[in-house]
Amino acid sequence: MNKVNKNQLVSKLVEIFKDADVDIDEIINEFKSQLEARKRKRYEDLEKLFDKQIQTLKDRGCPEQIIELLTEQKRPVVFKASEMAFEKGHIPFLPVIPRPYRGLYDLVAMVWNKDKQGCNHLNPVVIIDTIDTPTRPYYIYDVEDGEATLKKSSETAEKVFKKQSRFPLTVDEVIALCIHTDVLSRHTVLAVASRYNNLDQVLIAHLDYYGQPLFNYTLVSDSHDHWGSPSCGSR
């Protein structure tokens, strides 16, 4: 809160309480107590989200060594998220498993839609990430699932993210989004920060006619009404 807003708030409070027969200190103490209770509740909710994501990875057959690398980050991840403000619908954080830690075919197989496992049509050797990401299992924060960029090509979405100081997701991060949410049941997802063969092709995740998650590629200039490019606020 900047100085001007703070002064305005104080003026409003003075106006509200100037004729009130109340104990101001008692009200302030009660306000602090309620604020602390809300902070604790938020922290606890974030801890539950963290635990749920770890359990999902276990249920999907993630190796125990990777689970341990992600679990040991719980305190800093939850604390960081508890200090952040999120727009409605944004996901506070998601665990990401880089491809060097688990092959693309195994990662895609962890994406489920009801009883159907993900299927990979990509050659892992020709995938190019256009941004630097951590080399060990890590977390991304303030994740928007792509609804905000529906109807926009990945090319256009990338320009939007730059203006917003947000970051497009790599295929590993899109896989994380698809593992922990049902985003594919709502719209197709573009991994804007991963290209295929060359910079003119972008990776894409969608459901086929039978509801099976598929990972493939398309042109960066392509767009459809139900295609969206997810982003994150930080890594």
Side-chain angles (χ1 to χ4, degrees), residues 17 20 22-33:
F17 292 112
V22 295
D23 185 334
I24 299 299
D25 289 336
E26 183 179 342
I27 290 175
I28 291 175
N29 289 334
E30 178 61 25
F31 170 77
K32 289 181 178 179
S33 177

Side-chain angles (χ1 to χ4, degrees), residues 54-196:
I54 292 297
Q55 185 60 52
T56 295
L57 292 177
K58 290 179 179 180
D59 293 343
R60 304 288 170 91
C62 184
E64 186 60 35
Q65 295 91 332
I66 295 177
I67 294 293
E68 291 175 0
L69 290 172
L70 290 167
T71 301
E72 67 186 17
Q73 300 178 53
K74 180 174 182 177
R75 177 173 289 185
V77 167
V78 172
F79 177 78
K80 178 176 178 176
S82 70
E83 297 294 307
M84 299 173 69
F86 304 103
E87 291 187 26
K88 184 178 180 180
H90 285 207
I91 304 164
F93 50 77
L94 285 171
V96 181
I97 304 170
R99 292 192 301 281
Y101 275 76
R102 202 166 196 217
L104 184 64
Y105 286 90
D106 288 336
L107 288 174
V108 169
M110 293 172 67
V111 177
W112 295 359
N113 180 43
K114 298 180 180 177
D115 61 340
K116 294 181 173 60
Q117 281 186 296
C119 181
N120 176 48
H121 291 295
L122 300 166
N123 178 359
V125 176
V126 294
I127 295 175
I128 305 167
D129 291 340
T130 60
I131 58 177
D132 293 330
T133 60
T135 57
R136 291 166 58 86
Y138 64 99
Y139 283 78
I140 54 176
Y141 300 85
D142 188 18
V143 183
E144 197 282 319
D145 72 4
E147 185 176 350
T149 53
L150 290 178
K151 302 182 182 181
K152 291 181 172 61
S153 68
S154 58
E155 201 171 34
T156 301
E158 193 166 25
K159 296 176 182 177
V160 171
F161 298 151
K162 287 182 180 179
K163 290 181 180 179
Q164 297 174 338
S165 297
R166 293 183 62 80
F167 304 95
L169 302 191
T170 65
V171 65
D172 300 344
E173 294 165 348
V174 162
I175 289 172
L177 175 64
C178 295
I179 288 173
H180 297 284
T181 73
D182 62 348
V183 61
L184 292 182
S185 67
R186 300 190 298 275
H187 61 80
T188 291
V189 175
L190 300 168
V192 176
S194 291
R195 301 302 165 87
Y196 196 68

